[in-house]
Amino acid sequence: MTFAAPALLLGLLLVPAAVVVYRIVQRRRSRYAVRFTNVDLLGNLVPRTPAWRRHVPPALYLGAMAALAFALARPSMIVAVPREQATIILTIDVSGSMQAVDVEPSRLAAAQQAASDFVDQLPSSFKVGLVAFSTAPRIVVEPTTDRTILHAAISNLRAEGGTALGDAITTSLEAAGLDPTGVSTAPQTSPSPSASPSTAPSASVSPSSSGSATPGSSDKPVVATVLLSDGANSTGSMKPLPAAQQAATLGVPIYTIALGTADGVVQVQDDQGISHILNVPPDPETLAAIAETTGGKFFEAPTGQDLAQIYQNLGSKIGYTNESQEVTQWFAGAGLLLVVAGAGLAAHWFNRFP
């Protein structure tokens, strides 16, 4: 928290001074009661003492003084402000390994539920697109604000085929209205570091503009990709890291999620109809490198509960931007409420105001 007029915080010294004055007044009241000669008569006149209740209104007044002192100093805080618009591409692995059940009820079912919940928590003004990838990626839903279409498309995903991770990234860029074909895939001398959990995603170019936007800018629509995969790249014309470099050049952060455990297995049949058990571990190293290259964030989801929490965190990260705002009205309002509460209790308990 910062203050535009920190010197006015000296007004907080009035609070301990008021406490001292209050204690002195209470001691004088006790001495007066002792000097009253007929103690029995005093007990009849005042059969019940207010006990702790008599201290409540003064305590509320002291709280009001502290709140008003903070308000005078004009405090500012970093608050999460909803973004007005953004384009988010959900890129979901639907390869055959998503049939594994190491994540209950299955990897694909857990991914569908978490992605559907994620869509619901994004601001309604956000456009969300859906890209599914296995042996080849495809744009299932163009970016839209229609959540009904997205829910239906997510629920209809089926798992089969290989994993074209690199092609999925370029297709996600195309789904957002960007053109990755003219972007150089030469490695940068200093790739963007991963965003910390408390950092909002870097703003990106809008689909109609070219070049990357200034990192941290909040005045341009955000374009970001949330990529979930449970295995290593096994097919496709584009390798994952060159594709990630294209996204980085275009200013699109990719938030990657490695779904599943190293013990995940699926049952497949060969050409002769013989069933085989294949181990299908995720590839966290590649997904972490993609996130680091693009300035996104990498997550591991060994369980469905972890996956749901990750999507929930991403919703608050992508859907909001951190801005410094003056919150004087918060403290002024709190001070007013405390004064009213103290006066109301004094009138109710002791028939006096305040």
Side-chain angles (χ1 to χ4, degrees), residues 41-53:
L41 178 60
L42 179 63
N44 293 328
L45 293 174
V46 187
R48 295 180 59 188
T49 59
W52 59 269
R53 291 188 300 175

Side-chain angles (χ1 to χ4, degrees), residues 10 38 57 100 105 116 125 138 146 159 189 271 288 290 297 303 312 314 335 349:
L10 292 174
N38 195 335
S116 185
S125 60
R138 67 185 189 279
D146 191 332
T189 55
D271 296 337
I290 292 171
K297 179 69 179 177
T303 68
Q312 183 176 354
L314 283 172
W349 286 338

Side-chain angles (χ1 to χ4, degrees), residues 317-332:
K317 182 184 294 294
I318 298 175
Y320 295 81
T321 180
N322 292 328
E323 295 182 3
S324 178
Q325 288 191 351
E326 187 171 323
V327 291
T328 300
Q329 67 277 13
W330 294 3
F331 289 94

Side-chain angles (χ1 to χ4, degrees), residues 182-202:
V183 177
S184 172
T185 58
Q188 294 180 343
T189 55
S190 56
S192 301
S194 296
S196 64
S198 59
T199 304
S202 301

Side-chain angles (χ1 to χ4, degrees), residues 136-154:
R138 67 185 189 279
I139 300 175
V140 181
V141 178
E142 297 281 356
T144 178
T145 58
D146 191 332
R147 302 304 192 240
T148 302
I149 294 176
L150 286 164
H151 288 310
I154 291 171

